Amino acid sequence: MVSHLVSTIRNVVGITGNVISLFLFLSPVPTFVRIWKKGSVEQYSPVPYLATLINCMVWVIYGLPMVHPDSTLVITINGAGTAIELVYLTLFLIFCHDKKKRLKVLLIALVEVVFMALVAALVLTLAHTTERRSIVVGIIAILFNIMMYASPLSVMKLVISTKSVEYMPFFLSLASFANGVAWTTYAFLPFDPFIAVPNGLGTLFSLAQLLLYATYYESTKRIIAARKETKVEVNLSEVVVNGNHDPKKTTRAT
């Protein structure tokens, strides 16, 4: 009776985690809409998308029946996440005007794909039981899951130095926090250290990002307002200068 109840709760939490994870993967959509409109990636970092891509790929391998049985909820959401991150990275490459940066992102993405293909091949051929395969892939999954949650830390450095959260997407941080809480809960029904450790740490990382966002939200609004005011003043100055050098006025004067 108790085991059936725990299994039911686990499935409910897992489905909830899948929904939240989907929101996490879709949370950068407003960022890419802005990139599309601007026609440039500006100062946005590709690191979160590269980290999420390899994280999703390793969890797809972990969820395979021949690696970790009864992990359908893990493999479905991470399969979707892999496809979504590939779309983001494609858009990033299209709107990145720095050739060196574009090449670097492309090479990293290719290395990630090749690396995961090698991991899958080696694990399936050298480890002959699901228990061993789960341990090997689980350890790798922990490392890359922590990397995914920690990837916005590079943006946090920019936030602190500029006192602006303009380039740290709020919805990505919020979705990461909710995702971490959901999957940490899932990992305790029953206990799965390979899911619990990275998502527990991820919850803390995401909470730090949200606190940073709250700290610099007001200063960000002031910085953006000041930038717009400066832009208006520059435009007015250009109008005045152009008006003073109007050829028609000069002709009338002579």
Side-chain angles (χ1 to χ4, degrees), residues 39-51:
S40 171
V41 296
E42 300 180 295
Q43 293 186 57
Y44 285 108
S45 171
V47 174
Y49 314 112
L50 289 166

Side-chain angles (χ1 to χ4, degrees), residues 1-75:
M1 182 69 180
V2 174
S3 61
H4 177 71
L5 179 62
V6 170
S7 179
T8 302
I9 295 173
R10 177 183 169 86
N11 287 332
V12 171
V13 174
I15 292 170
T16 304
N18 266 341
V19 173
I20 294 173
S21 293
L22 184 60
F23 277 107
L24 169 63
F25 297 141
L26 294 176
S27 60
V29 168
T31 298
F32 280 91
V33 169
R34 173 175 172 169
I35 288 172
W36 183 286
K37 289 180 179 178
K38 294 268 188 178
S40 171
V41 296
E42 300 180 295
Q43 293 186 57
Y44 285 108
S45 171
V47 174
Y49 314 112
L50 289 166
T52 305
L53 174 63
I54 194 167
N55 175 70
C56 287
M57 288 191 293
V58 73
W59 281 110
V60 166
I61 296 173
Y62 182 83
L64 292 173
M66 63 283 291
V67 176
H68 195 78
D70 303 319
S71 300
T72 305
L73 293 173
V74 174
I75 195 172

